[in-house]
Amino acid sequence: MSTYLFTSESVTEGHPDKVCDQISDAILDAYITKDRNARVACEVAVTTDLVVIMGEISANCEIDLEKVVRDTIRKIGYDKDEYGFNANTCEIMVRLGKQSPDIAMGVDNAVETKESTEKEIGAGDQGMMFGYANDETEEYMPLAITLAHKIAKRLADVRNEGIIKYIRPDGKAQVTVEYENDIPKRIDTIVVSSQHEPNIPIEQIKEDIIREVVNYVIPKNMIDENTKYLINPTGSFVLGGPAGDTGLTGRKIIVDTYGGYARHGGGAFSGKDPTKVDRSAAYMARHVAKSIVASGYAKKCEVQIAYAIGKANPVSIYVDTFGTGKISNEELIKKIKHTFDLKPRSIIDKLNLRRPIYSKTSVYGHFGKIEDSLTWEKVEKM
């Protein structure tokens, strides 16, 4: 019998890095709403009462950036001076340019277009993207990251609904799952850190979070007398959010994907329009991997797709089913090539990515959410 522990983490919407992801995707959605072909590469940095908007945007429209930024921060819950970060008063600094003409040329006219009458768009950059799925949960996601997301989301819910009135926006969750022969058997450790108002006894924080957050989310059959609870382990978490730590778009890529259970190509998602294969091809790789598992070809599957800048066709496709495949990886690759068109334009069209859907993805994971608008989560029979 093989027994091991695996841990994944998630963060709440008030975590400084997640604040940046949400602002980046809110700006992207605002542009795509007015110009579906907008080219957006928007990154955000935050610190005490300061927001810096950076990147390259080319669009046939104008948006009220300040309103988008302030509305996003206000929705997260930073609207008081005592938080050190206030949507109503923070300084907003904008440093935006237009997309490089060298990049635009390769995206607008793929190398293959020169040899064909059918126009293709090229990949906006080189790189490799990974998609993953397994049968541990109904979402076809690893259990640890699924539960970590649910705890982090519940932390926000109990704050927004006034169930725990002293909680503030920043927070983290971490779940350690014990496996036997690659099957989740129990939860070994649960770590929750939640920002709170001053002078709240740690005993009360622990009791409230275990009752209203942990017990609300974690299946009872996964908990036993040996499960460990670490709630605000330092004892105090008053100063948080951008006032406690700087934030930056794209710094939580493992939280955004599979919690470390699968590989990651290195490219972040938020603030990037779908011509950027860092985002669109990662979504497609997830769609392919999930379809393989849901179709019964494997219990777990990882798909890698790699691109060269300016080229439409991927330079390579790789599949690993970790010994769980019903057919060989080589046969699976043939099925992928037969079923899925992995050129950027085809991915954008198939997944309908030129829509303002990206704010939904910017917190609590880009994968595993069952919503009709998140088309990459749909299963395609192979």
Side-chain angles (χ1 to χ4, degrees):
M1 180 180 295
S2 171
T3 302
Y4 61 90
L5 302 176
F6 191 88
T7 302
S8 295
E9 74 153 349
S10 183
V11 298
T12 67
E13 59 201 39
H15 185 282
D17 293 328
K18 273 291 145 203
V19 170
C20 296
D21 287 342
Q22 290 167 92
I23 294 172
S24 291
D25 275 337
I27 291 171
L28 170 61
D29 278 348
Y31 273 106
I32 286 183
T33 298
K34 291 189 173 184
D35 178 5
R36 65 191 304 270
N37 294 309
R39 299 283 173 81
V40 179
C42 178
E43 296 183 352
V44 176
V46 296
T47 186
T48 304
D49 255 344
L50 174 65
V51 181
V52 183
I53 313 294
M54 304 166 285
E56 300 80 42
I57 298 178
S58 298
N60 294 317
C61 64
E62 298 290 335
I63 69 166
D64 188 342
L65 271 175
E66 181 173 331
K67 184 178 188 305
V68 172
V69 172
R70 295 195 190 281
D71 285 351
T72 303
I73 298 169
R74 193 176 296 113
K75 183 180 178 182
I76 292 168
Y78 289 114
D79 55 1
K80 298 178 181 177
D81 288 338
E82 62 193 88
Y83 293 166
F85 191 67
N86 188 337
N88 304 307
T89 59
C90 64
E91 180 185 356
I92 299 174
M93 185 182 302
V94 179
R95 294 291 184 270
L96 289 172
K98 293 188 179 296
Q99 184 179 59
S100 160
D102 295 335
I103 296 175
M105 178 176 60
V107 174
D108 293 337
N109 292 289
V111 171
E112 292 90 336
T113 296
K114 300 169 185 176
E115 303 167 2
S116 170
T117 57
E118 185 177 359
K119 188 175 181 180
E120 292 287 353
I121 66 172
D125 201 354
Q126 68 179 43
M128 65 283 190
M129 299 81 213
F130 287 92
Y132 179 81
N134 65 20
D135 63 359
E136 287 181 10
T137 64
E138 64 179 356
E139 299 89 352
Y140 292 94
M141 289 286 287
L143 182 61
I145 187 64
T146 299
L147 293 179
H149 283 325
K150 289 182 177 180
I151 290 176
K153 177 64 166 60
R154 179 63 180 171
L155 269 179
D157 290 344
V158 298
R159 172 176 59 86
N160 291 325
E161 296 171 18
I163 296 172
I164 303 180
K165 298 183 183 301
Y166 56 81
I167 280 183
R168 290 179 173 179
D170 198 357
K172 290 184 175 183
Q174 186 172 285
V175 176
T176 301
V177 177
E178 182 177 311
Y179 287 78
E180 287 182 4
N181 294 332
D182 288 337
I183 299 174
K185 288 298 182 181
R186 57 181 291 274
I187 305 300
D188 183 80
T189 307
I190 297 168
V191 184
V192 182
S193 295
S194 178
Q195 187 188 14
H196 57 85
E197 294 178 1
N199 305 316
I200 307 296
I202 184 62
E203 293 78 14
Q204 181 182 352
I205 296 172
K206 290 180 179 179
E207 180 181 329
D208 289 344
I209 288 179
I210 289 175
R211 183 185 66 251
E212 299 293 348
V213 177
V214 175
N215 291 346
Y216 187 90
V217 167
I218 303 296
K220 289 182 173 56
N221 65 328
M222 298 296 290
I223 300 290
D224 60 27
E225 66 277 7
N226 295 316
T227 299
K228 298 178 282 294
Y229 301 88
L230 302 174
I231 311 299
N232 280 24
T234 63
S236 179
F237 185 6
V238 175
L239 182 64
D245 193 7
T246 57
L248 186 65
T249 298
R251 204 155 54 180
K252 280 286 175 281
I253 57 176
I254 302 304
V255 171
D256 285 343
T257 51
Y258 308 101
Y261 207 91
R263 282 168 280 200
H264 195 295
F269 301 154
S270 289
K272 296 178 180 177
D273 75 79
T275 66
K276 280 72 172 173
V277 286
D278 275 344
R279 185 169 212 161
S280 55
Y283 288 179
M284 189 63 178
R286 160 68 176 171
H287 177 63
V288 173
K290 186 175 181 179
S291 295
I292 288 171
V293 175
S295 297
Y297 286 111
K299 295 177 68 63
K300 59 176 71 174
C301 179
E302 185 179 73
V303 174
Q304 184 205 59
I305 312 171
Y307 293 88
I309 188 169
K311 285 186 64 67
N313 290 303
V315 298
S316 68
I317 304 170
Y318 170 82
V319 173
D320 191 350
T321 57
F322 308 93
T324 70
K326 300 290 181 63
I327 61 176
S328 70
N329 294 341
E330 291 76 15
E331 286 298 315
L332 276 176
I333 290 175
K334 290 179 182 178
K335 286 185 175 293
I336 290 170
K337 290 179 177 179
H338 176 75
T339 308
F340 304 99
D341 189 337
L342 300 179
K343 295 190 288 293
R345 188 183 72 171
S346 299
I347 292 173
I348 291 169
D349 291 344
K350 180 181 181 61
L351 300 182
N352 195 12
L353 296 179
R354 295 194 189 276
R355 296 173 294 143
I357 57 173
Y358 297 104
S359 292
K360 295 180 180 180
T361 69
S362 56
V363 67
Y364 312 121
H366 291 244
F367 308 122
K369 296 173 180 173
I370 311 302
E371 293 188 31
D372 288 342
S373 60
L374 306 185
T375 49
W376 51 93
E377 290 300 318
K378 294 180 180 179
V379 168
E380 191 157 343
K381 291 297 181 182
M382 298 177 61

